[in-house]
Amino acid sequence: MAKWGLPETQVIYDAAQRFVDAALRSDDSLFTPGRPIWSLGNLQELDRLFVQRPDESSDTWSVKFHRRVGEGSDQAIQLAGEILYVHLLITDSVTVQRKRELIEETLGWCKSPVSIPNDLLGTLGGFPVPARLRLVSALSTFS
């Protein structure tokens, strides 16, 4: 994988590596290490709750997401929150505050409290503008 060695992007690369290690190489968790959140059973439950039950109502995405995922087990709900975290990690088209709200709202559906670890909260800003500008500049030199 190509990697930009810019200091302001390192926290995002570290979080992405944590995702690879916890979710793709094992059944662990980004938010509660040692708990098998990314297990096949939890993925299958989330698939049944969300993917296999489309909601084509005119409600907001958040309402439709809660209606489907909110009735799942704590593990499936936490998995949904962790997937949102990974999905929102690099984008800057959603504010940091809104990213945090979406993830924390989802985690709030759990019967047992779960929160985003402090070391991962700092990564929700996405790639900083200077880093993106350098990336665009570097890519524009290829012909």
Side-chain angles (χ1 to χ4, degrees):
M1 170 174 80
K3 184 174 174 181
W4 290 87
L6 307 172
E8 61 268 33
T9 61
Q10 189 58 50
V11 293
I12 295 172
Y13 286 118
D14 291 346
Q17 185 62 55
R18 187 163 160 180
F19 162 70
V20 169
D21 293 341
L24 301 181
R25 293 193 174 131
S26 68
D27 294 341
D28 207 353
S29 167
L30 293 169
F31 298 167
T32 54
R35 290 185 64 202
I37 297 301
W38 288 81
S39 69
L40 179 59
N42 292 336
L43 288 162
Q44 290 171 331
E45 180 182 355
L46 189 58
D47 178 69
R48 280 191 308 276
L49 292 168
F50 184 70
V51 177
Q52 295 179 31
R53 292 180 13 185
D55 183 341
E56 299 188 20
S57 71
S58 61
D59 290 330
T60 65
W61 181 87
S62 293
V63 168
K64 294 190 287 188
F65 192 59
H66 181 247
R67 187 168 31 237
R68 290 153 50 199
V69 174
E71 62 189 49
S73 68
D74 276 6
Q75 294 81 8
I77 293 169
Q78 182 175 337
L79 176 60
E82 292 191 15
I83 289 171
L84 279 175
Y85 170 83
V86 172
H87 175 72
L88 296 169
L89 182 61
I90 64 169
T91 187
D92 68 342
S93 63
V94 179
T95 66
V96 173
Q97 180 176 340
R98 183 63 182 143
K99 290 178 184 183
R100 187 173 179 168
E101 287 170 358
L102 286 167
I103 298 165
E104 288 179 344
E105 176 185 347
T106 301
L107 294 174
W109 305 331
C110 293
K111 293 169 191 70
S112 298
V114 176
S115 58
I116 306 167
N118 288 333
D119 62 323
L120 294 180
L121 280 175
T123 64
L124 289 175
F127 280 109
V129 172
R132 285 194 318 276
L133 292 176
R134 281 182 257 175
L135 175 62
V136 169
S137 175
L139 291 174
S140 67
T141 62
F142 290 107
S143 46

